[in-house]
mmCIF file of all heavy atoms in Angstrom:
data_model
loop_
_atom_site.group_PDB
_atom_site.id
_atom_site.type_symbol
_atom_site.label_atom_id
_atom_site.label_comp_id
_atom_site.label_asym_id
_atom_site.label_seq_id
_atom_site.Cartn_x
_atom_site.Cartn_y
_atom_site.Cartn_z
ATOM 1 N N GLU A 102 52.039 198.927 195.290
ATOM 2 C CA GLU A 102 53.099 199.929 195.526
ATOM 3 C C GLU A 102 54.410 199.155 195.881
ATOM 4 O O GLU A 102 55.424 199.491 195.370
ATOM 5 C CB GLU A 102 52.682 200.929 196.620
ATOM 6 C CG GLU A 102 53.674 202.073 196.711
ATOM 7 C CD GLU A 102 53.517 202.858 198.039
ATOM 8 O OE1 GLU A 102 52.438 202.704 198.626
ATOM 9 O OE2 GLU A 102 54.476 203.626 198.374
ATOM 10 N N GLY A 103 54.230 198.165 196.760
ATOM 11 C CA GLY A 103 55.371 197.356 197.155
ATOM 12 C C GLY A 103 56.026 196.708 195.995
ATOM 13 O O GLY A 103 57.198 196.635 195.912
ATOM 14 N N MET A 104 55.100 196.167 195.081
ATOM 15 C CA MET A 104 55.700 195.470 193.983
ATOM 16 C C MET A 104 56.491 196.428 193.093
ATOM 17 O O MET A 104 57.556 195.994 192.592
ATOM 18 C CB MET A 104 54.578 194.795 193.194
ATOM 19 C CG MET A 104 55.065 193.838 192.185
ATOM 20 S SD MET A 104 53.787 192.568 191.834
ATOM 21 C CE MET A 104 52.688 193.425 190.756
ATOM 22 N N GLN A 105 55.945 197.668 192.806
ATOM 23 C CA GLN A 105 56.665 198.585 191.991
ATOM 24 C C GLN A 105 58.009 198.853 192.596
ATOM 25 O O GLN A 105 59.065 198.725 191.896
ATOM 26 C CB GLN A 105 55.870 199.808 191.836
ATOM 27 C CG GLN A 105 54.623 199.575 190.945
ATOM 28 C CD GLN A 105 53.645 200.752 191.112
ATOM 29 O OE1 GLN A 105 53.749 201.603 192.013
ATOM 30 N NE2 GLN A 105 52.662 200.786 190.219
ATOM 31 N N LEU A 106 58.004 199.184 193.946
ATOM 32 C CA LEU A 106 59.275 199.529 194.554
ATOM 33 C C LEU A 106 60.283 198.263 194.424
ATOM 34 O O LEU A 106 61.448 198.454 194.180
ATOM 35 C CB LEU A 106 59.034 199.845 195.983
ATOM 36 C CG LEU A 106 58.438 201.181 196.214
ATOM 37 C CD1 LEU A 106 58.053 201.299 197.762
ATOM 38 C CD2 LEU A 106 59.382 202.358 195.868
ATOM 39 N N GLY A 107 59.704 197.106 194.750
ATOM 40 C CA GLY A 107 60.534 195.853 194.756
ATOM 41 C C GLY A 107 61.074 195.694 193.377
ATOM 42 O O GLY A 107 62.257 195.281 193.296
ATOM 43 N N VAL A 108 60.321 195.792 192.350
ATOM 44 C CA VAL A 108 60.870 195.530 191.031
ATOM 45 C C VAL A 108 62.023 196.496 190.656
ATOM 46 O O VAL A 108 63.101 196.097 190.191
ATOM 47 C CB VAL A 108 59.750 195.692 189.859
ATOM 48 C CG1 VAL A 108 60.383 195.829 188.553
ATOM 49 C CG2 VAL A 108 58.774 194.624 189.916
ATOM 50 N N LEU A 109 61.804 197.789 191.086
ATOM 51 C CA LEU A 109 62.843 198.768 190.813
ATOM 52 C C LEU A 109 64.118 198.376 191.553
ATOM 53 O O LEU A 109 65.202 198.303 190.926
ATOM 54 C CB LEU A 109 62.427 200.116 191.271
ATOM 55 C CG LEU A 109 61.685 201.059 190.234
ATOM 56 C CD1 LEU A 109 61.276 202.352 190.922
ATOM 57 C CD2 LEU A 109 62.624 201.245 189.100
ATOM 58 N N ALA A 110 63.998 198.123 192.829
ATOM 59 C CA ALA A 110 65.125 197.731 193.613
ATOM 60 C C ALA A 110 65.845 196.504 193.104
ATOM 61 O O ALA A 110 67.054 196.443 192.922
ATOM 62 C CB ALA A 110 64.721 197.621 195.113
ATOM 63 N N GLY A 111 64.947 195.520 192.776
ATOM 64 C CA GLY A 111 65.447 194.267 192.299
ATOM 65 C C GLY A 111 66.213 194.417 190.996
ATOM 66 O O GLY A 111 67.250 193.864 190.809
ATOM 67 N N LEU A 112 65.737 195.226 190.161
ATOM 68 C CA LEU A 112 66.348 195.447 188.828
ATOM 69 C C LEU A 112 67.688 196.211 188.955
ATOM 70 O O LEU A 112 68.713 195.825 188.422
ATOM 71 C CB LEU A 112 65.476 196.231 187.822
ATOM 72 C CG LEU A 112 64.362 195.404 187.297
ATOM 73 C CD1 LEU A 112 63.498 196.268 186.322
ATOM 74 C CD2 LEU A 112 64.818 194.189 186.584
ATOM 75 N N VAL A 113 67.702 197.195 189.871
ATOM 76 C CA VAL A 113 69.047 197.917 190.173
ATOM 77 C C VAL A 113 69.997 196.876 190.658
ATOM 78 O O VAL A 113 71.150 196.768 190.144
ATOM 79 C CB VAL A 113 68.818 199.022 191.130
ATOM 80 C CG1 VAL A 113 70.171 199.613 191.522
ATOM 81 C CG2 VAL A 113 67.966 200.147 190.571
ATOM 82 N N ALA A 114 69.621 196.087 191.632
ATOM 83 C CA ALA A 114 70.489 195.083 192.156
ATOM 84 C C ALA A 114 70.894 194.098 191.099
ATOM 85 O O ALA A 114 72.044 193.667 190.954
ATOM 86 C CB ALA A 114 69.830 194.315 193.306
ATOM 87 N N GLY A 115 69.951 193.720 190.225
ATOM 88 C CA GLY A 115 70.147 192.717 189.183
ATOM 89 C C GLY A 115 71.205 193.192 188.222
ATOM 90 O O GLY A 115 72.083 192.440 187.696
ATOM 91 N N VAL A 116 71.153 194.582 187.876
ATOM 92 C CA VAL A 116 72.102 195.165 186.949
ATOM 93 C C VAL A 116 73.481 194.963 187.536
ATOM 94 O O VAL A 116 74.426 194.539 186.883
ATOM 95 C CB VAL A 116 71.809 196.612 186.714
ATOM 96 C CG1 VAL A 116 72.979 197.279 185.957
ATOM 97 C CG2 VAL A 116 70.545 196.817 185.893
ATOM 98 N N LEU A 117 73.631 195.255 188.885
ATOM 99 C CA LEU A 117 74.924 195.053 189.450
ATOM 100 C C LEU A 117 75.442 193.654 189.410
ATOM 101 O O LEU A 117 76.606 193.318 189.092
ATOM 102 C CB LEU A 117 74.851 195.601 190.968
ATOM 103 C CG LEU A 117 74.954 197.144 191.117
ATOM 104 C CD1 LEU A 117 74.663 197.526 192.538
ATOM 105 C CD2 LEU A 117 76.306 197.663 190.682
ATOM 106 N N ALA A 118 74.500 192.702 189.793
ATOM 107 C CA ALA A 118 74.810 191.297 189.682
ATOM 108 C C ALA A 118 75.236 190.933 188.331
ATOM 109 O O ALA A 118 76.193 190.152 188.115
ATOM 110 C CB ALA A 118 73.661 190.439 190.121
ATOM 111 N N ALA A 119 74.530 191.427 187.319
ATOM 112 C CA ALA A 119 74.795 191.126 185.939
ATOM 113 C C ALA A 119 76.205 191.666 185.546
ATOM 114 O O ALA A 119 76.991 190.949 184.782
ATOM 115 C CB ALA A 119 73.794 191.671 185.020
ATOM 116 N N ILE A 120 76.574 192.857 186.055
ATOM 117 C CA ILE A 120 77.937 193.302 185.889
ATOM 118 C C ILE A 120 78.918 192.306 186.410
ATOM 119 O O ILE A 120 79.947 192.010 185.734
ATOM 120 C CB ILE A 120 78.115 194.686 186.571
ATOM 121 C CG1 ILE A 120 77.285 195.775 185.871
ATOM 122 C CG2 ILE A 120 79.613 195.111 186.471
ATOM 123 C CD1 ILE A 120 77.294 197.071 186.537
ATOM 124 N N GLY A 121 78.620 191.776 187.572
ATOM 125 C CA GLY A 121 79.511 190.739 188.078
ATOM 126 C C GLY A 121 79.635 189.512 187.203
ATOM 127 O O GLY A 121 80.762 189.061 186.936
ATOM 128 N N VAL A 122 78.564 189.041 186.692
ATOM 129 C CA VAL A 122 78.464 187.969 185.819
ATOM 130 C C VAL A 122 79.325 188.203 184.537
ATOM 131 O O VAL A 122 80.301 187.432 184.170
ATOM 132 C CB VAL A 122 77.097 187.616 185.360
ATOM 133 C CG1 VAL A 122 77.102 186.551 184.255
ATOM 134 C CG2 VAL A 122 76.289 187.115 186.506
ATOM 135 N N ALA A 123 79.143 189.473 184.005
ATOM 136 C CA ALA A 123 79.897 189.754 182.806
ATOM 137 C C ALA A 123 81.406 189.895 183.054
ATOM 138 O O ALA A 123 82.180 189.360 182.275
ATOM 139 C CB ALA A 123 79.379 191.086 182.272
ATOM 140 N N LEU A 124 81.798 190.489 184.158
ATOM 141 C CA LEU A 124 83.220 190.606 184.523
ATOM 142 C C LEU A 124 83.818 189.281 184.614
ATOM 143 O O LEU A 124 84.905 188.998 184.141
ATOM 144 C CB LEU A 124 83.301 191.321 185.895
ATOM 145 C CG LEU A 124 83.681 192.840 185.873
ATOM 146 C CD1 LEU A 124 83.649 193.358 187.302
ATOM 147 C CD2 LEU A 124 85.077 192.956 185.314
ATOM 148 N N ARG A 125 83.097 188.374 185.346
ATOM 149 C CA ARG A 125 83.632 186.988 185.506
ATOM 150 C C ARG A 125 83.907 186.320 184.186
ATOM 151 O O ARG A 125 84.890 185.632 183.960
ATOM 152 C CB ARG A 125 82.718 186.233 186.480
ATOM 153 C CG ARG A 125 83.107 184.803 186.650
ATOM 154 C CD ARG A 125 84.502 184.705 187.349
ATOM 155 N NE ARG A 125 84.981 183.367 187.208
ATOM 156 C CZ ARG A 125 85.649 182.737 188.252
ATOM 157 N NH1 ARG A 125 85.876 183.368 189.339
ATOM 158 N NH2 ARG A 125 86.142 181.537 188.083
#
Side-chain angles (χ1 to χ4, degrees):
Chain A
E102 188 195 342
M104 191 154 78
Q105 286 163 353
L106 287 172
V108 167
L109 269 180
L112 285 180
V113 172
V116 169
L117 281 170
I120 293 176
V122 171
L124 257 175
R125 174 63 194 219

